[in-house]
Amino acid sequence: MILVLVPDAEQAAIDRLRQNIEAKGLLVQHIHGENTTMLGIAGDTSEVDQESFLRIDIVDSVMRVSDPYKLANRKLHPQDTVIHVKGHTIGGGNLTLVAGPCSVESEEQILSIARDVAASGATFLRGGAFKPRSSPYAFQGMGLDGLELLKIASRKTGLPIVTELLSHEHLDDFARDVDVIQIGARNMQNFSLLREVGKLKKPVLLKRGLANTIEELLMSAEYVLSGGTADVILCERGIRTFETATRNTLDLSAVPVLKKKSHLPVIVDPSHGTGYWHLVEPLSLASVAVGADALIIEVHNAPQYALCDGPQSITPEVFHTLAQKLRRVHEAISN
Amino acid sequence: MILVLVPDAEQAAIDRLRQNIEAKGLLVQHIHGENTTMLGIAGDTSEVDQESFLRIDIVDSVMRVSDPYKLANRKLHPQDTVIHVKGHTIGGGNLTLVAGPCSVESEEQILSIARDVAASGATFLRGGAFKPRSSPYAFQGMGLDGLELLKIASRKTGLPIVTELLSHEHLDDFARDVDVIQIGARNMQNFSLLREVGKLKKPVLLKRGLANTIEELLMSAEYVLSGGTADVILCERGIRTFETATRNTLDLSAVPVLKKKSHLPVIVDPSHGTGYWHLVEPLSLASVAVGADALIIEVHNAPQYALCDGPQSITPEVFHTLAQKLRRVHEAISN
Amino acid sequence: MILVLVPDAEQAAIDRLRQNIEAKGLLVQHIHGENTTMLGIAGDTSEVDQESFLRIDIVDSVMRVSDPYKLANRKLHPQDTVIHVKGHTIGGGNLTLVAGPCSVESEEQILSIARDVAASGATFLRGGAFKPRSSPYAFQGMGLDGLELLKIASRKTGLPIVTELLSHEHLDDFARDVDVIQIGARNMQNFSLLREVGKLKKPVLLKRGLANTIEELLMSAEYVLSGGTADVILCERGIRTFETATRNTLDLSAVPVLKKKSHLPVIVDPSHGTGYWHLVEPLSLASVAVGADALIIEVHNAPQYALCDGPQSITPEVFHTLAQKLRRVHEAISN
Amino acid sequence: MILVLVPDAEQAAIDRLRQNIEAKGLLVQHIHGENTTMLGIAGDTSEVDQESFLRIDIVDSVMRVSDPYKLANRKLHPQDTVIHVKGHTIGGGNLTLVAGPCSVESEEQILSIARDVAASGATFLRGGAFKPRSSPYAFQGMGLDGLELLKIASRKTGLPIVTELLSHEHLDDFARDVDVIQIGARNMQNFSLLREVGKLKKPVLLKRGLANTIEELLMSAEYVLSGGTADVILCERGIRTFETATRNTLDLSAVPVLKKKSHLPVIVDPSHGTGYWHLVEPLSLASVAVGADALIIEVHNAPQYALCDGPQSITPEVFHTLAQKLRRVHEAISN
């Protein structure tokens, strides 16, 4: 940590500040800049709130030098994390496809879609039982009934279940029945939920919030990891910008940045990331080309009648063709 | 709701679409535009997912005409909502000051600050017992012990308590002890929490999320109101933009926009909105001038030692002078 | 165009408005919505300022139905535009590589890089002679001397020149010497320059502005096209968001959106789009996978000594390997 | 400037880097951080491109310590700049009102509005002769004829002229006839125009670009100041964000930030900053309360027929009442 001092800081005040910091067991070094005096602070600063220094009169700005996350940090854990779930994997050079409807609507629907996507190469089944909707008047998902239907579909196809947890009250149900617990974008900084879900020691798919930086996503992963779970999958699903031609702006640069900073696998959600089904194919191909370990794609057998997210769902037929192209691109970049 | 059709839509397809919509009990009207055919849909469309129309081949785009919120809508509730709490009010032409530290740290601290801000004209006490922190290693608040200290300070000063609820597990404690329950920016779309807090029928201070539009804030208010609470205070606290000179970009235009669209009172948080104590005074003055009903300001007796948010806290002395200026500006715009 | 009226609009006022609009030779149709009255306006509305309607008391909002651009619009020009320059092409299913240094620094430098990138498969040479720099104290490019060096390199390698025009004063020089005139992001809405460059009837590479929507990019293309040029290449080079891990946020969804809305070819600039050389490879691969017609990449033989943009330049060796991978991905998606 | 080195940097490489930097006449100091080695660089680094260090293998990141602008920097010029134009002033504790129509439409129009706003207390006349429009088909202003009408209105009312320069070709006309030359948001980084306008040594009103940071605005001011002009007025006019309820997001925090960092006066444009006339009053009041030296407001005698920006223009009657309120708020904060 480096403190940049104001130009006219008096020596007596600088000395007092040094003594205060050294009293915390930290080392202080004087740095002479261009017209600027700085203090470098070394030692274990993890419990020091760097912002508190900004309130000291002679401190002009504070610069952080080291990363604020540890468990998620590749510098400390150079090996890629590879996640294994019921014989399927995410990470480690594979291309994993997670597919299924936005929300579970009926046994027939979820089973039919699960069979279709499995036949096309998907190895995980997604499907919402609890849906976060911006309107209290919109369809909120089938709830625990939806979870039961996911279990049936999973049993009959062998695909592990990926579904979103919205609230503490269903922690036990998810711990028992769900293979990969999804934390949605709107809950990325619901720290109380992150902490609880981390204690379950199940794989967690953590979505980036609409206004959250890559570093904040890693800090939220740190919450989950510090609960005890080793398996977190980081999900890029688009951020909010001024552009309105797409529902969100899919930030594909986040994929290589995350893979450089962290050892955790990265998944991309081109369905929410764009909001339009005709953009799902090109952005899925781009996600594989940019180095994503996995894709999570909304597939619906009758998108025009879907109870939510119809415009961004593709049909099983489109998914089938897309999966083939995805494998070709994966091969093209793997050599 | 208006459906804009693609240029080459065939008449047979248009007729099928009309019949489908009319089968839902809605009225359909043909509109002839410039090279464009549109269908206007009238009737109770609140349960119709407008996006589902985008999956129909001949539909190019969908335009919504009416607001998606009802209980929060000034068109349906023209009178200003005025909130009364233990003899103090928010709304109705008054200027209400909510003040206190970022987090409760000790009985001495909270009591001393509460007395100071009360003496300067604040009529509500803020103070965090549970703190949402982006790092799992940072101070997370005193928890229920902090709540006890807030109660002591409230009893001794007569100031009602405003404090943030982070999780379902403390709903009962807050229902019993807290006067105005704050929902923070990061939980603005934690719909499960919004629904529960609305059932408590206590005043709720709802903060706008970092990446949320004014309309989404009103939709989240709708969740709380639909739970049964009549008293929601809308809080502008800055949005996330590309600018880094301030912690957030305080969107003061949101104040008159919210007051036009809704009957609910509006409060501004210039402390989180800017992130720097020296910006709190000018932005507080601006908030009053733009028409805010109330301000929520972080005040700390020793900001350089605060356990969080030190850089954005002002001292009781600065608050005292500021409160006088705020009243002068309020008077200047009230005549 | 549709005017949504306020709920309590009086019939007499509605009638007056209708008459005013009809007096301009336009057709007005009454539309009955849910609790809402609307007026649909048909006819040639291109000279009508839709915003002016917002000042009329009884008008609540105005919705545009048709696109504001014509010459750039695929609906009116369904065939892809393919641009031919000195035996090389951009568009039409090819993958075109434009490569070269951020700025021309010496004859030896530009010639060496031009030869290297040509050998690796680039068919156009980029290089800045005039550089837009945010600081008046930074290196501003070699100017006309740089242009002379580009001409030498072009003559010796056969690569057409792509370079940025900053100002009216060099229009004649560029008309004479430059093969593809680049308009940079900061000048995307320098309408006076757009108009002039369009009159030269030379191919124009138009970069998207940092805060400009896809529609605004198309409107700026419309300025150039309306000057007389038929050949505009649209360039996605990243937009400005809150994320700071990358220099800009490369919006790859813009590529398929632009190709759907317009017939013009699309090029991606992963160098400026990310700002870091190690992100250029993955984002280049993603750009090809998402459907870009071309890439423009900064290549420098000694990036650590480059006079500008060193951190985002790759070496000729990295470019050589990348070009091979790009062709493999292009093949994988073309079948 | 501080270079943070990668964790495993070898001593030999560090020594080489030190020698390279010292060879440029700069001082290098070794700094020991928490698990991190850093090099502090002192001396005249203004010609050193800090980004070039990022290409050196052992450099992980570069941190700038000093501001990149000098002439605009309050640290070097502590006294407020006060601008005097034909007996009127901007800055120095006054509240200056600049008012007039978006565009000049006729002699009668501009004269009538000029007389009205002068009577209400405005001391500068704004009015567009050359208009930057996003559509090539929209009204582009009356051009030099409009400038002639502004001169007539200025002569008859004594109000100096503020109007926007779009292009180099009118530099001579503006040098002769215009009192304060406006550079619009879209040209804030048209560096070639900034340089030329600075040489005219006339007051320049420089608008912040839609996606430009406060620091970039100051860097653009530096361009103008380095041309020779001493009088630059910095204009906050809203930035582009995800919010669509307003045309832009007016960033009022920029006002005190600019006044802290720079000695130049600050003006706010609430008309473009919001886009709606009913928001102009509250945001004007807020601008004065936050500490702006001046306001620039669009006033039109018949906004519903204005050739541009009608929705954001207020009538002379509304301006008259507003001016009185603005003075009351100015008084309230000045004591």
Side-chain angles (χ1 to χ4, degrees), chain C residues 101-136:
Chain C
C102 168
S103 57
V104 182
E105 296 171 15
S106 69
E107 181 173 336
E108 190 191 355
Q109 174 238 26
I110 189 69
L111 193 53
S112 153
I113 296 174
R115 282 179 170 146
D116 281 346
V117 299
S120 301
T123 51
F124 287 79
L125 175 66
R126 63 147 291 153
F130 300 91
K131 301 299 305 175
R133 302 300 298 272
S134 54
S135 166

Side-chain angles (χ1 to χ4, degrees), chain B residues 52-73:
Chain B
S52 65
F53 289 113
L54 285 174
R55 282 313 302 253
I56 297 166
D57 287 355
I58 62 167
V59 175
D60 188 62
S61 61
V62 179
M63 298 186 295
R64 209 185 58 204
V65 173
S66 50
D67 295 325
Y69 46 92
K70 300 171 187 173
L71 301 170
N73 199 330

Side-chain angles (χ1 to χ4, degrees), chain A residues 20 46-47 49 51-56 68-71 131-138 140 166-169 186-187 189-192 195-196 210-213 216 219-220 222-223 226 240 247 276-277 303-315, chain B residues 20 46-47 49 51-56 68-71 131-138 140 166-169 186-187 189-192 195-196 210-213 216 219-220 222-223 226 240 247 276-277 303-315:
Chain A
N20 274 336
S46 64
E47 301 207 359
D49 183 0
E51 299 213 325
S52 65
F53 289 112
L54 285 175
R55 280 316 300 257
I56 297 166
Y69 46 91
K70 299 170 188 174
L71 302 170
K131 301 299 304 174
R133 302 300 297 272
S134 54
S135 166
Y137 310 119
Q140 312 271 329
L166 280 189
S167 164
H168 295 71
E169 70 182 296
R186 292 175 184 77
N187 281 317
Q189 293 197 318
N190 182 341
F191 301 119
S192 132
R195 214 180 269 287
E196 292 305 318
L210 267 78
N212 289 111
T213 61
E216 286 169 342
M219 290 303 289
S220 286
E222 192 82 7
Y223 261 96
S226 68
R240 187 163 269 188
R247 184 168 167 175
Y276 295 98
W277 72 271
Q304 64 273 42
Y305 302 115
L307 293 178
C308 77
D309 283 349
Q312 70 194 33
S313 298
I314 58 175
T315 60
Chain B
N20 273 337
S46 64
E47 303 207 357
D49 182 1
E51 300 213 325
S52 65
F53 289 113
L54 285 174
R55 282 313 302 253
I56 297 166
Y69 46 92
K70 300 171 187 173
L71 301 170
K131 301 299 305 174
R133 301 300 297 273
S134 53
S135 167
Y137 309 119
Q140 312 271 328
L166 280 190
S167 164
H168 294 71
E169 71 182 295
R186 291 176 184 76
N187 280 317
Q189 293 197 317
N190 182 341
F191 302 119
S192 131
R195 214 181 270 285
E196 292 304 318
L210 267 79
N212 289 112
T213 61
E216 286 169 341
M219 291 305 288
S220 286
E222 192 82 8
Y223 261 96
S226 68
R240 188 162 268 187
R247 183 166 166 176
Y276 296 98
W277 72 272
Q304 63 272 45
Y305 302 115
L307 293 179
C308 78
D309 282 351
Q312 70 195 32
S313 298
I314 58 175
T315 61

Side-chain angles (χ1 to χ4, degrees), chain D residues 167-227:
Chain D
S167 163
H168 295 71
E169 70 182 298
H170 299 113
L171 276 164
D172 291 344
D173 301 301
F174 274 61
R176 188 184 58 239
D177 293 334
V178 174
D179 300 299
V180 178
I181 302 175
Q182 178 179 315
I183 299 294
R186 291 176 184 77
N187 280 317
M188 194 203 90
Q189 292 197 318
N190 181 341
F191 302 118
S192 132
L193 191 62
L194 294 180
R195 213 180 271 286
E196 293 303 319
V197 84
K199 292 182 191 158
L200 302 182
K201 309 208 173 167
K202 295 207 118 186
V204 172
L205 190 159
L206 179 63
K207 290 197 161 186
R208 181 179 182 185
L210 267 79
N212 289 112
T213 61
I214 290 170
E215 185 171 296
E216 287 169 340
L217 174 57
L218 289 169
M219 290 304 288
S220 286
E222 192 81 7
Y223 261 97
V224 179
L225 294 167
S226 68

Side-chain angles (χ1 to χ4, degrees), chain D residues 16-36:
Chain D
R16 272 198 307 278
L17 177 55
R18 266 188 97 125
Q19 288 158 16
N20 274 336
I21 300 169
E22 286 169 346
K24 293 177 184 173
L26 300 168
L27 296 173
V28 181
Q29 184 188 2
H30 216 165
I31 308 167
H32 303 279
E34 328 138 37
N35 313 316
T36 316

Side-chain angles (χ1 to χ4, degrees), chain A residues 101-114 300-301:
Chain A
C102 168
S103 58
V104 182
E105 297 171 15
S106 70
E107 181 173 337
E108 190 190 355
Q109 175 239 24
I110 189 68
L111 193 53
S112 152
I113 296 174
H300 197 286
N301 49 354

Side-chain angles (χ1 to χ4, degrees), chain D residues 156-168:
Chain D
K156 298 209 178 173
T157 59
L159 300 183
I161 299 169
V162 180
T163 194
E164 180 171 355
L165 174 69
L166 279 189
S167 163
H168 295 71

